[in-house]
Amino acid sequence: MSTSPVHLFGIRHHGPGCARSLAQALDALDPDCLLIEGPPEAEGVLPSVLDPALVPPVALLVYDPEAPREAVFYPFAAFSPEWVALRHGLTRGIPTRFMDLPVAHSLALDRAKAEAEVGGEGEGSAEHTPPADPPDAAPEPAPAEDMALTLAPLDWLGQAAGHPDGESWWNQLVEERGDGLALFEAIREIMETLRGELPTPPGPRAEREALREAHMRKCLRQAVKDGYQRIAVVCGAWHLPALSRLPAAKADNDLLKGLPKRKLAATWVPWSYANLSRASGYGAGVAAPAWYEHLWETGQTPGADRALGWLVRAGRLLRDKDLDCSSAHLIEARRLAETLAALRGRPRPGLEELDEALLGVVCMGDPAPLSLIRRQLVLGDRLGSIPADTPALPIQQDLARCQKSLRLKPEAGWRTLELDLRQPTDLGRSQLLHRLRLLEVSWGRLQQDQGRRRGSFGETWQLCWAPELALAVIEASRWGTSIEDAATACAVAQARDAWQLARLAEVMEQVLLADLPAAVGPVARALEDRAALEADVGQLLDTIPPLVQVARYGNVRGTDGAQVLHLLDALVPRAAIGLPGACQALDNAAAEQLQQSLAKADQALGVLGQTALLEIWQTSLLQLARSPQVHGLVSGLAARLALDHHWLEADELALLMGRALSPGTPPGPAAAWLDGFLNGSGMVLLHDDSLWNLVERWLCSLPEALFIQELPLLRRSFTRFSGPERRQMGERAKRPGHAVSASAGPGWDGARAARVLPLLACLLGVESAPLGDALHVLDPFNPSRETAHD
């Protein structure tokens, strides 16, 4: 028995086997001091571990209040050994400390490194902030750098033991094993052997690991100096050799001397199994968080059959999804799993054997049901929770109040939320989600194609709460202390910094959707000022649709659309007046872009239905349609829109089309005019014989070489038609004429066509004809009857 007061317990982060053995070891040792690998800055929030409202998975968040994106997460699950150690120490009132290198040093070193890379050595500035992560990216959790078990060396051991990799070897021997206090001595021996055989590669990571281990030894010496007799040290197994033999204190102190430091804050945030998994990019993550939870729970219950319990859960899940799974299936699956485990020399079935048994017996070889089991029962969608009195910024507390009052609980998995904006609660939910979108807190995604819930009163959202969104909320605190105040200030700042008119219109739309009355005035003034100076007609057109959307549907939300209508009264005339001049001398790319803007603006104004604005718009469209100097795409589209609005008579349209498709017009401009006029729909040609004939004559007049040259543009135009439209056009194009008469055109046999006229006249009742004569034509025994092919 060692006389040293220090007792080392090397663990794997988030390992249920390590956690189970650690709980037994701590009960047997009864330590009077606990040192745990973790951030010293978070010791102030450790008492919350005993709060029943703190339900794992959760994470300690250590961040810089002035740059919230620079942060570190320390995740914990119920089966994490560090969580077990924390609860053991705090329940018994034992001094419990974190001993890892302070995050204040780590983040300061990271910033210094980033400044050196960006500005060059000696050019960094104390005020410089390294580029922030993308809005949807989470800072990498702290243990990712730890790599408590370096997988490459473990792979060697696993392969030597007959396993495909070190992961499966470790799972079988440690995480899925029975209880035993001898585990930690075996882990220590393995790690000492590995670190003794493997050279330490030089580089920044090795330097950071050296700093971390130096600080751990410093904390260990301090605990010994404080007089504790039974010091339990819980750390990543990889660090055991560095802590088992302490070098001179001076070497560690010199290594840690002069490290940069920053002022940080710490709090608890909910975590999810998805973020705890290795698939999320978390370096210390596990492949099967929900399976590990099952191992932990069954290990806490004496006599529990973990294989049977797992299969029962899988069967219940399949039946809930209306998939066939009987008791006989589960019995046979258990037998198969146990047989596979025996053949592989394992004392009990593991996840691999259970998966194979479910696939073969229950899923009948179909991988789809098994993927459901893996998603729900192996990975899991659990999201932890934190106490209401957890230290938090005012904006975080306000968000929690809004979520509670609107009954909008954060959940880890994706779910669809259908909102009826006529209901006060749903309207409040919509406003909250739109405010969060303004603040770049991506909790919800608004679905543009709302399927069944179309109309101004419905919205469809896809919601998924990710733990890293806590950082986005903290970062949003720079705008205000509540969600509404922060969204208002953010919108005003976005309007002030926006230089595109369309972007200002989007901000105005977001402001009204989010119900931010204090931001309406400043954003509207910025929009008016920018519109007064805007000379780009395309930007003026792009501004119209979002403003019309708000003005048209604002009454459903209870927003005041008068300000928006005032803006439209100024914008639409300016766009309409400047449109003819802006359409002169356009190249093809500019014409295509203007064509799209013109079509969207016309559709929006048609929805708005303001007579005065439509009259101004009508004048502009007719001027475009009649001008030969306008690019064919724009001129053709203007003619089509004027026709749809009944502002253009059929005779004048035929004249315009005849001019555009006349032999004197070059094929390129003529094809562009036709493309703009059709505008992705061929119904106008199908229902108007005169327009069809004009297009037909133009196509027939093209020489073969020019026809081949224009074919790509024509094909692009016609491929935008719907399937039924193309089919009807093809059928009509196959017919050489439209009238059934002897003089209908070349290829028609008038005498043969006239033979069916008596029957048609009789059926239609337009002429009195002997029925016998008509039926004689279709008599199958009539030798003179034509075949169906004829």
Side-chain angles (χ1 to χ4, degrees):
M1 185 73 176
S2 175
T3 58
S4 172
V6 178
H7 301 265
L8 301 176
F9 300 98
I11 52 90
R12 176 190 184 172
H13 300 296
H14 321 303
C18 289
R20 187 165 54 251
S21 296
L22 179 62
Q24 296 180 15
L26 293 179
D27 287 338
L29 177 63
D30 190 21
D32 57 359
C33 179
L34 263 173
L35 298 180
I36 303 172
E37 182 182 331
E41 293 92 342
E43 289 182 2
V45 298
L46 287 185
S48 299
V49 169
L50 300 181
D51 193 324
L54 187 67
V55 180
V58 291
L60 283 170
L61 171 60
V62 184
Y63 64 97
D64 185 343
E66 297 183 359
R69 288 289 177 180
E70 299 182 34
V72 177
F73 288 112
Y74 284 81
F76 299 92
F79 48 81
S80 299
E82 300 94 332
W83 181 262
V84 172
L86 287 172
R87 289 190 61 84
H88 179 96
L90 295 172
T91 301
R92 291 163 176 76
I94 300 171
T96 303
R97 305 172 183 173
F98 279 140
M99 63 173 186
D100 205 348
L101 181 71
V103 181
H105 295 319
S106 298
L107 291 183
L109 290 170
D110 291 340
R111 172 174 285 189
K113 179 182 177 182
E115 290 173 348
E117 292 176 350
V118 172
E121 186 175 356
E123 297 180 6
S125 170
E127 289 84 26
H128 177 73
T129 302
D133 294 334
D136 295 334
E140 189 173 1
E145 289 187 319
D146 182 7
M147 290 300 291
L149 300 175
T150 305
L151 294 181
L154 283 187
D155 285 343
W156 302 336
L157 296 177
Q159 292 175 6
H163 290 259
D165 51 39
E167 177 75 12
S168 60
W169 173 76
W170 182 269
N171 280 336
Q172 179 185 339
L173 294 185
V174 179
E175 309 307 347
E176 297 179 358
R177 68 188 292 279
D179 301 330
L181 296 178
L183 171 68
F184 297 106
E185 181 61 28
I187 292 177
R188 183 193 62 79
E189 183 178 350
I190 291 172
M191 293 304 151
E192 286 185 348
T193 302
L194 289 175
R195 291 194 66 162
E197 295 291 335
L198 295 173
T200 301
R205 176 168 176 172
E207 296 172 1
R208 186 67 58 87
E209 289 297 299
L211 291 174
R212 295 180 64 199
E213 291 173 349
H215 192 273
M216 292 181 190
R217 290 191 292 264
K218 182 177 180 180
C219 294
L220 202 158
R221 293 190 191 96
Q222 184 62 45
V224 173
K225 183 178 179 180
D226 291 341
Y228 295 109
Q229 300 300 311
R230 298 179 305 282
I231 303 171
V233 178
V234 180
C235 65
W238 188 251
H239 300 300
L240 286 175
L243 303 182
S244 58
R245 291 176 295 275
L246 302 181
K250 184 177 185 304
D252 289 339
N253 291 336
D254 290 343
L255 191 61
L256 298 171
K257 184 178 180 181
L259 290 178
K261 193 174 183 179
R262 298 167 64 178
K263 186 176 181 180
L264 305 180
T267 187
W268 290 102
V269 295
W271 205 247
S272 69
Y273 277 171
N275 289 75
L276 198 65
S277 69
R278 188 180 303 119
S280 68
Y282 174 27
V286 295
W291 164 251
Y292 273 10
E293 178 189 11
H294 177 72
L295 293 180
W296 172 250
E297 291 176 347
T298 54
Q300 301 297 102
T301 306
D305 189 329
R306 76 183 190 197
L308 180 60
W310 178 260
L311 292 172
V312 169
R313 293 176 62 189
R316 184 181 300 115
L317 173 64
L318 293 175
R319 288 192 291 270
D320 289 344
K321 300 298 182 181
D322 296 327
L323 298 174
D324 185 28
C325 183
S326 65
S327 299
H329 282 110
L330 299 182
I331 293 172
E332 291 303 318
R334 182 187 181 188
R335 289 175 179 171
L336 178 56
E338 291 175 344
T339 302
L340 290 172
L343 290 173
R344 295 166 180 171
R346 301 180 180 180
R348 65 181 74 178
L351 181 59
E352 182 181 359
E353 290 76 27
L354 292 171
D355 272 354
E356 293 179 10
L358 285 169
L359 178 61
V361 176
V362 179
C363 303
M364 307 297 288
D366 184 0
L370 187 62
S371 65
L372 172 65
I373 294 172
R374 286 173 175 166
R375 185 171 61 252
Q376 296 290 330
L377 301 185
V378 177
L379 180 61
D381 57 1
R382 183 183 294 274
L383 180 69
S385 62
I386 61 175
D389 58 353
T390 299
L393 297 174
I395 192 172
Q396 293 175 294
Q397 298 173 358
D398 182 63
L399 176 59
R401 284 193 296 268
C402 293
Q403 291 170 334
K404 183 177 181 180
S405 63
L406 295 172
R407 301 189 298 278
L408 205 56
K409 182 180 179 181
E411 297 178 1
W414 285 101
R415 71 184 182 99
T416 301
L417 181 66
E418 300 278 0
L419 298 181
D420 184 346
L421 303 181
R422 296 168 296 185
Q423 304 299 323
T425 299
D426 281 359
L427 180 59
R429 291 172 175 175
S430 173
Q431 292 167 352
L432 174 62
L433 292 172
H434 280 291
R435 290 172 182 177
L436 292 176
R437 286 184 71 196
L438 261 171
L439 295 171
E440 297 185 352
V441 181
S442 306
W443 181 16
R445 296 178 182 174
L446 181 62
Q447 303 301 295
Q448 298 300 327
D449 184 7
Q450 300 183 11
R452 301 184 305 273
R453 296 296 301 274
R454 293 183 183 275
S456 62
F457 62 85
E459 275 186 353
T460 303
W461 292 81
Q462 291 287 329
L463 300 183
C464 180
W465 183 265
E468 57 266 24
L469 293 179
L471 279 182
V473 177
I474 293 173
E475 189 174 28
S477 64
R478 63 193 175 103
W479 298 112
T481 58
S482 69
I483 296 296
E484 181 177 356
D485 292 344
T488 298
C490 182
V492 173
Q494 289 183 18
R496 182 179 61 248
D497 298 336
W499 60 274
Q500 283 190 335
L501 194 59
R503 174 57 187 152
L504 275 170
E506 292 175 3
V507 175
M508 171 61 80
E509 181 182 16
Q510 292 174 341
V511 163
L512 293 174
L513 293 176
D515 188 26
L516 302 173
V520 172
V523 176
R525 285 193 295 273
L527 188 57
E528 288 180 342
D529 295 343
R530 186 71 185 85
L533 301 175
E534 183 58 63
D536 188 339
V537 173
Q539 287 205 34
L540 291 172
L541 293 176
D542 291 338
T543 308
I544 294 174
L547 293 181
V548 169
Q549 180 76 8
V550 175
R552 178 67 176 84
Y553 299 132
N555 59 331
V556 177
R557 295 179 167 274
T559 58
D560 184 9
Q563 186 73 41
V564 178
L565 290 174
H566 173 69
L567 290 172
L568 288 170
D569 288 340
L571 283 174
V572 174
R574 292 192 66 241
I577 293 172
L579 193 54
C583 295
Q584 306 290 332
L586 293 176
D587 59 15
N588 291 334
E592 288 182 5
Q593 185 174 359
L594 191 59
Q595 177 195 24
Q596 297 174 5
S597 301
L598 185 65
K600 293 178 181 178
D602 179 81
Q603 181 182 15
L605 291 174
V607 170
L608 185 63
Q610 294 286 328
T611 304
L613 296 180
L614 286 175
E615 290 177 354
I616 299 173
W617 188 248
Q618 173 184 355
T619 302
S620 181
L621 284 184
L622 291 176
Q623 188 174 353
L624 289 177
R626 294 163 178 166
S627 174
Q629 286 78 32
V630 175
H631 193 283
L633 280 174
V634 179
S635 178
L637 175 63
R640 174 62 181 274
L641 297 178
L643 176 67
D644 292 343
H645 287 297
H646 306 290
W647 297 337
L648 198 62
E649 297 295 336
D651 294 341
E652 185 179 2
L653 175 61
L655 181 62
L656 293 175
M657 178 175 281
R659 184 183 67 188
L661 303 181
S662 66
T665 304
W673 191 95
L674 181 61
D675 184 24
F677 177 77
L678 295 177
N679 193 31
S681 173
M683 295 304 297
V684 65
L685 294 181
L686 290 171
H687 292 290
D688 193 319
D689 289 342
S690 62
L691 298 182
W692 175 277
N693 292 332
L694 283 172
V695 175
E696 183 180 23
R697 283 197 297 270
W698 173 68
L699 288 173
C700 293
S701 67
L702 290 176
E704 182 178 358
L706 291 179
F707 178 80
I708 294 175
Q709 179 182 343
E710 298 303 323
L711 189 59
L713 179 59
L714 294 171
R715 181 173 294 169
R716 186 187 66 175
S717 302
F718 280 76
T719 52
R720 291 199 293 264
F721 299 162
S722 65
E725 286 178 340
R726 293 198 300 270
R727 184 170 59 252
Q728 292 180 51
M729 284 189 171
E731 293 173 353
R732 181 168 184 175
K734 290 179 182 178
R735 300 197 303 267
H738 307 292
V740 184
S741 65
S743 59
W748 280 91
D749 189 333
R752 291 172 59 192
R755 294 180 61 184
V756 301
L757 292 180
L759 176 61
L760 292 176
C762 181
L763 294 175
L764 297 176
V766 297
E767 182 179 330
S768 177
L771 184 58
D773 294 342
L775 293 178
H776 179 74
V777 177
L778 302 179
D779 184 359
F781 299 102
N782 181 9
S784 63
R785 173 183 175 271
E786 301 290 346
T787 63
H789 174 73
D790 293 336

